[in-house]
Amino acid sequence: MSGEAASRAHPHLPGRQRQFAEAVFERARVMRKPVTVILFSGRPLIVPWLIERADAVLAAWFLGSEAGNALADVMLGRMSPSGRTPVSWARSVGQVPIFFGARPGGRPANPKDIYTSKYLDVPTIPCSRSALDLRTDVSVCRISR
């Protein structure tokens, strides 16, 4: 579901993966357990509901043969990924294309002024600017509640 000539009009979780994630969140809520999501994808997905409900999100992209060892090192705190990627995670398909380094326009967003550049139904900033700390091969999403 990713790669050259594999564009998707709806970059959400494919198939029944959302149902599975919702079931995991519900079970964890009943058991009072935190949920860390390890999200494998070749592109940023539109998953604001996942980012909001998870206690942590690890965007692992498509790692190589040492993926298991690398993820274990990050999850157990033995390693902290470094570097930055120029990738933004939009909250909605309507925000695409969006990127973190966008220069502000002539009408910067102001929620109190109707004559400024903003969305009516979602926040103006992408998920990555407010919630994701994007790094090289592994992206760590920190959620503040």
PDB file of all heavy atoms in Angstrom, residues 84-115:
ATOM      1  N   ARG A  84      16.115  15.063  12.136  1.00  0.00           N
ATOM      2  CA  ARG A  84      14.748  15.506  11.829  1.00  0.00           C
ATOM      3  C   ARG A  84      14.386  15.107  10.402  1.00  0.00           C
ATOM      4  O   ARG A  84      15.238  15.046   9.529  1.00  0.00           O
ATOM      5  CB  ARG A  84      14.641  17.032  11.935  1.00  0.00           C
ATOM      6  CG  ARG A  84      15.006  17.577  13.270  1.00  0.00           C
ATOM      7  CD  ARG A  84      13.786  17.682  14.132  1.00  0.00           C
ATOM      8  NE  ARG A  84      14.185  18.185  15.444  1.00  0.00           N
ATOM      9  CZ  ARG A  84      13.604  17.842  16.538  1.00  0.00           C
ATOM     10  NH1 ARG A  84      12.600  17.028  16.528  1.00  0.00           N
ATOM     11  NH2 ARG A  84      14.002  18.321  17.688  1.00  0.00           N
ATOM     12  N   THR A  85      13.105  14.847  10.190  1.00  0.00           N
ATOM     13  CA  THR A  85      12.625  14.593   8.840  1.00  0.00           C
ATOM     14  C   THR A  85      11.691  15.725   8.440  1.00  0.00           C
ATOM     15  O   THR A  85      10.983  16.271   9.285  1.00  0.00           O
ATOM     16  CB  THR A  85      11.853  13.257   8.737  1.00  0.00           C
ATOM     17  OG1 THR A  85      10.769  13.286   9.652  1.00  0.00           O
ATOM     18  CG2 THR A  85      12.743  12.078   9.032  1.00  0.00           C
ATOM     19  N   PRO A  86      11.676  16.091   7.189  1.00  0.00           N
ATOM     20  CA  PRO A  86      10.797  17.177   6.730  1.00  0.00           C
ATOM     21  C   PRO A  86       9.396  16.665   6.406  1.00  0.00           C
ATOM     22  O   PRO A  86       8.877  16.880   5.328  1.00  0.00           O
ATOM     23  CB  PRO A  86      11.512  17.683   5.489  1.00  0.00           C
ATOM     24  CG  PRO A  86      12.161  16.462   4.929  1.00  0.00           C
ATOM     25  CD  PRO A  86      12.571  15.642   6.131  1.00  0.00           C
ATOM     26  N   VAL A  87       8.794  15.941   7.335  1.00  0.00           N
ATOM     27  CA  VAL A  87       7.497  15.331   7.102  1.00  0.00           C
ATOM     28  C   VAL A  87       6.491  15.879   8.101  1.00  0.00           C
ATOM     29  O   VAL A  87       6.790  16.003   9.278  1.00  0.00           O
ATOM     30  CB  VAL A  87       7.572  13.798   7.249  1.00  0.00           C
ATOM     31  CG1 VAL A  87       6.225  13.158   7.069  1.00  0.00           C
ATOM     32  CG2 VAL A  87       8.569  13.222   6.261  1.00  0.00           C
ATOM     33  N   SER A  88       5.302  16.201   7.626  1.00  0.00           N
ATOM     34  CA  SER A  88       4.224  16.625   8.502  1.00  0.00           C
ATOM     35  C   SER A  88       3.070  15.652   8.387  1.00  0.00           C
ATOM     36  O   SER A  88       2.800  15.118   7.318  1.00  0.00           O
ATOM     37  CB  SER A  88       3.740  18.028   8.123  1.00  0.00           C
ATOM     38  OG  SER A  88       4.728  18.974   8.403  1.00  0.00           O
ATOM     39  N   TRP A  89       2.388  15.423   9.473  1.00  0.00           N
ATOM     40  CA  TRP A  89       1.230  14.542   9.510  1.00  0.00           C
ATOM     41  C   TRP A  89      -0.012  15.411   9.591  1.00  0.00           C
ATOM     42  O   TRP A  89      -0.268  16.060  10.615  1.00  0.00           O
ATOM     43  CB  TRP A  89       1.316  13.610  10.718  1.00  0.00           C
ATOM     44  CG  TRP A  89       2.399  12.593  10.567  1.00  0.00           C
ATOM     45  CD1 TRP A  89       3.730  12.828  10.389  1.00  0.00           C
ATOM     46  CD2 TRP A  89       2.249  11.181  10.563  1.00  0.00           C
ATOM     47  NE1 TRP A  89       4.417  11.653  10.279  1.00  0.00           N
ATOM     48  CE2 TRP A  89       3.532  10.623  10.392  1.00  0.00           C
ATOM     49  CE3 TRP A  89       1.158  10.345  10.699  1.00  0.00           C
ATOM     50  CZ2 TRP A  89       3.741   9.259  10.348  1.00  0.00           C
ATOM     51  CZ3 TRP A  89       1.377   8.984  10.664  1.00  0.00           C
ATOM     52  CH2 TRP A  89       2.649   8.443  10.485  1.00  0.00           C
ATOM     53  N   ALA A  90      -0.777  15.438   8.523  1.00  0.00           N
ATOM     54  CA  ALA A  90      -1.984  16.258   8.472  1.00  0.00           C
ATOM     55  C   ALA A  90      -3.060  15.679   9.384  1.00  0.00           C
ATOM     56  O   ALA A  90      -3.079  14.490   9.668  1.00  0.00           O
ATOM     57  CB  ALA A  90      -2.500  16.333   7.042  1.00  0.00           C
ATOM     58  N   ARG A  91      -3.956  16.535   9.830  1.00  0.00           N
ATOM     59  CA  ARG A  91      -5.097  16.095  10.633  1.00  0.00           C
ATOM     60  C   ARG A  91      -6.232  15.601   9.746  1.00  0.00           C
ATOM     61  O   ARG A  91      -7.056  14.812  10.156  1.00  0.00           O
ATOM     62  CB  ARG A  91      -5.622  17.255  11.467  1.00  0.00           C
ATOM     63  CG  ARG A  91      -4.671  17.734  12.499  1.00  0.00           C
ATOM     64  CD  ARG A  91      -5.236  18.967  13.209  1.00  0.00           C
ATOM     65  NE  ARG A  91      -4.258  19.519  14.103  1.00  0.00           N
ATOM     66  CZ  ARG A  91      -4.038  19.072  15.327  1.00  0.00           C
ATOM     67  NH1 ARG A  91      -4.728  18.074  15.788  1.00  0.00           N
ATOM     68  NH2 ARG A  91      -3.114  19.626  16.079  1.00  0.00           N
ATOM     69  N   SER A  92      -6.287  16.106   8.507  1.00  0.00           N
ATOM     70  CA  SER A  92      -7.372  15.790   7.601  1.00  0.00           C
ATOM     71  C   SER A  92      -6.846  15.813   6.165  1.00  0.00           C
ATOM     72  O   SER A  92      -5.889  16.512   5.863  1.00  0.00           O
ATOM     73  CB  SER A  92      -8.477  16.838   7.758  1.00  0.00           C
ATOM     74  OG  SER A  92      -9.439  16.712   6.759  1.00  0.00           O
ATOM     75  N   VAL A  93      -7.483  15.052   5.287  1.00  0.00           N
ATOM     76  CA  VAL A  93      -7.083  15.024   3.884  1.00  0.00           C
ATOM     77  C   VAL A  93      -7.150  16.423   3.280  1.00  0.00           C
ATOM     78  O   VAL A  93      -6.363  16.785   2.414  1.00  0.00           O
ATOM     79  CB  VAL A  93      -7.965  14.038   3.081  1.00  0.00           C
ATOM     80  CG1 VAL A  93      -7.659  14.107   1.602  1.00  0.00           C
ATOM     81  CG2 VAL A  93      -7.760  12.628   3.584  1.00  0.00           C
ATOM     82  N   GLY A  94      -8.064  17.255   3.757  1.00  0.00           N
ATOM     83  CA  GLY A  94      -8.210  18.612   3.241  1.00  0.00           C
ATOM     84  C   GLY A  94      -7.003  19.497   3.488  1.00  0.00           C
ATOM     85  O   GLY A  94      -6.847  20.527   2.845  1.00  0.00           O
ATOM     86  N   GLN A  95      -6.116  19.105   4.404  1.00  0.00           N
ATOM     87  CA  GLN A  95      -4.910  19.888   4.676  1.00  0.00           C
ATOM     88  C   GLN A  95      -3.758  19.541   3.736  1.00  0.00           C
ATOM     89  O   GLN A  95      -2.756  20.227   3.730  1.00  0.00           O
ATOM     90  CB  GLN A  95      -4.432  19.651   6.112  1.00  0.00           C
ATOM     91  CG  GLN A  95      -5.289  20.288   7.162  1.00  0.00           C
ATOM     92  CD  GLN A  95      -4.709  20.049   8.547  1.00  0.00           C
ATOM     93  OE1 GLN A  95      -4.426  18.926   8.928  1.00  0.00           O
ATOM     94  NE2 GLN A  95      -4.538  21.122   9.276  1.00  0.00           N
ATOM     95  N   VAL A  96      -3.864  18.471   2.971  1.00  0.00           N
ATOM     96  CA  VAL A  96      -2.791  18.024   2.095  1.00  0.00           C
ATOM     97  C   VAL A  96      -2.791  18.882   0.835  1.00  0.00           C
ATOM     98  O   VAL A  96      -3.856  19.132   0.264  1.00  0.00           O
ATOM     99  CB  VAL A  96      -2.998  16.536   1.746  1.00  0.00           C
ATOM    100  CG1 VAL A  96      -1.954  16.048   0.767  1.00  0.00           C
ATOM    101  CG2 VAL A  96      -2.989  15.692   3.012  1.00  0.00           C
ATOM    102  N   PRO A  97      -1.673  19.345   0.304  1.00  0.00           N
ATOM    103  CA  PRO A  97      -0.328  19.187   0.845  1.00  0.00           C
ATOM    104  C   PRO A  97      -0.077  20.165   1.988  1.00  0.00           C
ATOM    105  O   PRO A  97      -0.532  21.295   1.958  1.00  0.00           O
ATOM    106  CB  PRO A  97       0.586  19.504  -0.340  1.00  0.00           C
ATOM    107  CG  PRO A  97      -0.192  20.485  -1.142  1.00  0.00           C
ATOM    108  CD  PRO A  97      -1.646  20.116  -0.951  1.00  0.00           C
ATOM    109  N   ILE A  98       0.639  19.687   2.971  1.00  0.00           N
ATOM    110  CA  ILE A  98       0.991  20.503   4.130  1.00  0.00           C
ATOM    111  C   ILE A  98       2.414  20.138   4.508  1.00  0.00           C
ATOM    112  O   ILE A  98       2.834  19.005   4.350  1.00  0.00           O
ATOM    113  CB  ILE A  98       0.011  20.244   5.290  1.00  0.00           C
ATOM    114  CG1 ILE A  98       0.181  21.267   6.398  1.00  0.00           C
ATOM    115  CG2 ILE A  98       0.163  18.845   5.830  1.00  0.00           C
ATOM    116  CD1 ILE A  98      -0.909  21.225   7.456  1.00  0.00           C
ATOM    117  N   PHE A  99       3.162  21.092   4.961  1.00  0.00           N
ATOM    118  CA  PHE A  99       4.507  20.766   5.400  1.00  0.00           C
ATOM    119  C   PHE A  99       4.892  21.676   6.552  1.00  0.00           C
ATOM    120  O   PHE A  99       4.423  22.792   6.684  1.00  0.00           O
ATOM    121  CB  PHE A  99       5.528  20.809   4.263  1.00  0.00           C
ATOM    122  CG  PHE A  99       5.643  22.149   3.577  1.00  0.00           C
ATOM    123  CD1 PHE A  99       6.643  23.030   3.912  1.00  0.00           C
ATOM    124  CD2 PHE A  99       4.739  22.509   2.588  1.00  0.00           C
ATOM    125  CE1 PHE A  99       6.743  24.253   3.284  1.00  0.00           C
ATOM    126  CE2 PHE A  99       4.836  23.719   1.953  1.00  0.00           C
ATOM    127  CZ  PHE A  99       5.843  24.601   2.296  1.00  0.00           C
ATOM    128  N   PHE A 100       5.755  21.152   7.408  1.00  0.00           N
ATOM    129  CA  PHE A 100       6.125  21.808   8.653  1.00  0.00           C
ATOM    130  C   PHE A 100       6.764  23.173   8.430  1.00  0.00           C
ATOM    131  O   PHE A 100       6.498  24.113   9.144  1.00  0.00           O
ATOM    132  CB  PHE A 100       7.084  20.906   9.443  1.00  0.00           C
ATOM    133  CG  PHE A 100       7.518  21.503  10.744  1.00  0.00           C
ATOM    134  CD1 PHE A 100       6.678  21.479  11.833  1.00  0.00           C
ATOM    135  CD2 PHE A 100       8.761  22.099  10.874  1.00  0.00           C
ATOM    136  CE1 PHE A 100       7.064  22.028  13.034  1.00  0.00           C
ATOM    137  CE2 PHE A 100       9.157  22.650  12.073  1.00  0.00           C
ATOM    138  CZ  PHE A 100       8.304  22.615  13.161  1.00  0.00           C
ATOM    139  N   GLY A 101       7.624  23.290   7.402  1.00  0.00           N
ATOM    140  CA  GLY A 101       8.376  24.519   7.189  1.00  0.00           C
ATOM    141  C   GLY A 101       7.649  25.566   6.360  1.00  0.00           C
ATOM    142  O   GLY A 101       8.295  26.439   5.792  1.00  0.00           O
ATOM    143  N   ALA A 102       6.336  25.482   6.262  1.00  0.00           N
ATOM    144  CA  ALA A 102       5.592  26.450   5.450  1.00  0.00           C
ATOM    145  C   ALA A 102       5.736  27.857   6.015  1.00  0.00           C
ATOM    146  O   ALA A 102       5.619  28.066   7.212  1.00  0.00           O
ATOM    147  CB  ALA A 102       4.121  26.065   5.389  1.00  0.00           C
ATOM    148  N   ARG A 103       6.009  28.796   5.153  1.00  0.00           N
ATOM    149  CA  ARG A 103       6.099  30.190   5.593  1.00  0.00           C
ATOM    150  C   ARG A 103       4.697  30.740   5.794  1.00  0.00           C
ATOM    151  O   ARG A 103       3.785  30.423   5.035  1.00  0.00           O
ATOM    152  CB  ARG A 103       6.829  31.020   4.550  1.00  0.00           C
ATOM    153  CG  ARG A 103       8.276  30.611   4.434  1.00  0.00           C
ATOM    154  CD  ARG A 103       8.985  31.491   3.451  1.00  0.00           C
ATOM    155  NE  ARG A 103      10.373  31.091   3.413  1.00  0.00           N
ATOM    156  CZ  ARG A 103      11.343  31.895   3.061  1.00  0.00           C
ATOM    157  NH1 ARG A 103      11.086  33.124   2.693  1.00  0.00           N
ATOM    158  NH2 ARG A 103      12.569  31.466   3.045  1.00  0.00           N
ATOM    159  N   PRO A 104       4.511  31.557   6.811  1.00  0.00           N
ATOM    160  CA  PRO A 104       3.174  32.101   7.031  1.00  0.00           C
ATOM    161  C   PRO A 104       2.733  32.983   5.875  1.00  0.00           C
ATOM    162  O   PRO A 104       3.538  33.690   5.277  1.00  0.00           O
ATOM    163  CB  PRO A 104       3.322  32.907   8.320  1.00  0.00           C
ATOM    164  CG  PRO A 104       4.776  33.043   8.578  1.00  0.00           C
ATOM    165  CD  PRO A 104       5.492  32.011   7.762  1.00  0.00           C
ATOM    166  N   GLY A 105       1.452  32.917   5.559  1.00  0.00           N
ATOM    167  CA  GLY A 105       0.906  33.725   4.472  1.00  0.00           C
ATOM    168  C   GLY A 105       0.655  35.156   4.919  1.00  0.00           C
ATOM    169  O   GLY A 105       0.979  35.561   6.035  1.00  0.00           O
ATOM    170  N   GLY A 106       0.053  35.921   4.046  1.00  0.00           N
ATOM    171  CA  GLY A 106      -0.224  37.319   4.343  1.00  0.00           C
ATOM    172  C   GLY A 106      -1.293  37.502   5.403  1.00  0.00           C
ATOM    173  O   GLY A 106      -1.422  38.567   5.985  1.00  0.00           O
ATOM    174  N   ARG A 107      -2.059  36.441   5.652  1.00  0.00           N
ATOM    175  CA  ARG A 107      -3.100  36.484   6.680  1.00  0.00           C
ATOM    176  C   ARG A 107      -2.894  35.329   7.647  1.00  0.00           C
ATOM    177  O   ARG A 107      -3.554  34.293   7.555  1.00  0.00           O
ATOM    178  CB  ARG A 107      -4.480  36.371   6.039  1.00  0.00           C
ATOM    179  CG  ARG A 107      -4.849  37.547   5.205  1.00  0.00           C
ATOM    180  CD  ARG A 107      -6.251  37.348   4.684  1.00  0.00           C
ATOM    181  NE  ARG A 107      -6.701  38.578   4.054  1.00  0.00           N
ATOM    182  CZ  ARG A 107      -7.866  38.700   3.479  1.00  0.00           C
ATOM    183  NH1 ARG A 107      -8.698  37.689   3.467  1.00  0.00           N
ATOM    184  NH2 ARG A 107      -8.224  39.837   2.929  1.00  0.00           N
ATOM    185  N   PRO A 108      -1.967  35.457   8.606  1.00  0.00           N
ATOM    186  CA  PRO A 108      -1.725  34.358   9.548  1.00  0.00           C
ATOM    187  C   PRO A 108      -3.009  33.982  10.292  1.00  0.00           C
ATOM    188  O   PRO A 108      -3.868  34.830  10.529  1.00  0.00           O
ATOM    189  CB  PRO A 108      -0.691  34.919  10.512  1.00  0.00           C
ATOM    190  CG  PRO A 108      -0.177  36.164   9.894  1.00  0.00           C
ATOM    191  CD  PRO A 108      -1.163  36.631   8.877  1.00  0.00           C
ATOM    192  N   ALA A 109      -3.129  32.716  10.627  1.00  0.00           N
ATOM    193  CA  ALA A 109      -4.330  32.216  11.307  1.00  0.00           C
ATOM    194  C   ALA A 109      -4.556  32.931  12.634  1.00  0.00           C
ATOM    195  O   ALA A 109      -3.644  33.102  13.423  1.00  0.00           O
ATOM    196  CB  ALA A 109      -4.205  30.721  11.539  1.00  0.00           C
ATOM    197  N   ASN A 110      -5.778  33.378  12.816  1.00  0.00           N
ATOM    198  CA  ASN A 110      -6.202  34.012  14.059  1.00  0.00           C
ATOM    199  C   ASN A 110      -7.636  33.553  14.298  1.00  0.00           C
ATOM    200  O   ASN A 110      -8.548  33.953  13.580  1.00  0.00           O
ATOM    201  CB  ASN A 110      -6.125  35.536  13.954  1.00  0.00           C
ATOM    202  CG  ASN A 110      -6.588  36.231  15.217  1.00  0.00           C
ATOM    203  OD1 ASN A 110      -7.107  35.606  16.136  1.00  0.00           O
ATOM    204  ND2 ASN A 110      -6.396  37.529  15.264  1.00  0.00           N
ATOM    205  N   PRO A 111      -7.858  32.704  15.320  1.00  0.00           N
ATOM    206  CA  PRO A 111      -9.199  32.162  15.533  1.00  0.00           C
ATOM    207  C   PRO A 111     -10.262  33.224  15.814  1.00  0.00           C
ATOM    208  O   PRO A 111     -11.444  33.000  15.604  1.00  0.00           O
ATOM    209  CB  PRO A 111      -9.040  31.231  16.729  1.00  0.00           C
ATOM    210  CG  PRO A 111      -7.666  31.395  17.232  1.00  0.00           C
ATOM    211  CD  PRO A 111      -6.888  32.231  16.272  1.00  0.00           C
ATOM    212  N   LYS A 112      -9.861  34.404  16.251  1.00  0.00           N
ATOM    213  CA  LYS A 112     -10.820  35.463  16.577  1.00  0.00           C
ATOM    214  C   LYS A 112     -11.167  36.348  15.384  1.00  0.00           C
ATOM    215  O   LYS A 112     -12.067  37.165  15.458  1.00  0.00           O
ATOM    216  CB  LYS A 112     -10.274  36.321  17.710  1.00  0.00           C
ATOM    217  CG  LYS A 112     -10.097  35.537  19.000  1.00  0.00           C
ATOM    218  CD  LYS A 112      -9.504  36.405  20.082  1.00  0.00           C
ATOM    219  CE  LYS A 112      -9.269  35.567  21.328  1.00  0.00           C
ATOM    220  NZ  LYS A 112      -8.607  36.312  22.365  1.00  0.00           N
ATOM    221  N   ASP A 113     -10.435  36.181  14.275  1.00  0.00           N
ATOM    222  CA  ASP A 113     -10.641  37.024  13.096  1.00  0.00           C
ATOM    223  C   ASP A 113     -11.100  36.150  11.933  1.00  0.00           C
ATOM    224  O   ASP A 113     -10.368  35.265  11.494  1.00  0.00           O
ATOM    225  CB  ASP A 113      -9.339  37.754  12.747  1.00  0.00           C
ATOM    226  CG  ASP A 113      -9.502  38.751  11.614  1.00  0.00           C
ATOM    227  OD1 ASP A 113     -10.574  38.782  10.965  1.00  0.00           O
ATOM    228  OD2 ASP A 113      -8.549  39.498  11.361  1.00  0.00           O
ATOM    229  N   ILE A 114     -12.311  36.388  11.414  1.00  0.00           N
ATOM    230  CA  ILE A 114     -12.824  35.542  10.335  1.00  0.00           C
ATOM    231  C   ILE A 114     -12.109  35.757   9.009  1.00  0.00           C
ATOM    232  O   ILE A 114     -12.197  34.937   8.118  1.00  0.00           O
ATOM    233  CB  ILE A 114     -14.352  35.721  10.143  1.00  0.00           C
ATOM    234  CG1 ILE A 114     -14.676  37.162   9.728  1.00  0.00           C
ATOM    235  CG2 ILE A 114     -15.104  35.310  11.372  1.00  0.00           C
ATOM    236  CD1 ILE A 114     -16.109  37.342   9.273  1.00  0.00           C
ATOM    237  N   TYR A 115     -11.380  36.849   8.858  1.00  0.00           N
ATOM    238  CA  TYR A 115     -10.709  37.155   7.593  1.00  0.00           C
ATOM    239  C   TYR A 115      -9.241  36.762   7.611  1.00  0.00           C
ATOM    240  O   TYR A 115      -8.380  37.476   7.140  1.00  0.00           O
ATOM    241  CB  TYR A 115     -10.864  38.638   7.269  1.00  0.00           C
ATOM    242  CG  TYR A 115     -12.321  39.036   7.116  1.00  0.00           C
ATOM    243  CD1 TYR A 115     -12.951  39.810   8.074  1.00  0.00           C
ATOM    244  CD2 TYR A 115     -13.065  38.590   6.024  1.00  0.00           C
ATOM    245  CE1 TYR A 115     -14.284  40.158   7.943  1.00  0.00           C
ATOM    246  CE2 TYR A 115     -14.394  38.923   5.894  1.00  0.00           C
ATOM    247  CZ  TYR A 115     -15.008  39.708   6.854  1.00  0.00           C
ATOM    248  OH  TYR A 115     -16.318  40.027   6.730  1.00  0.00           O
TER     249      TYR A 115
END
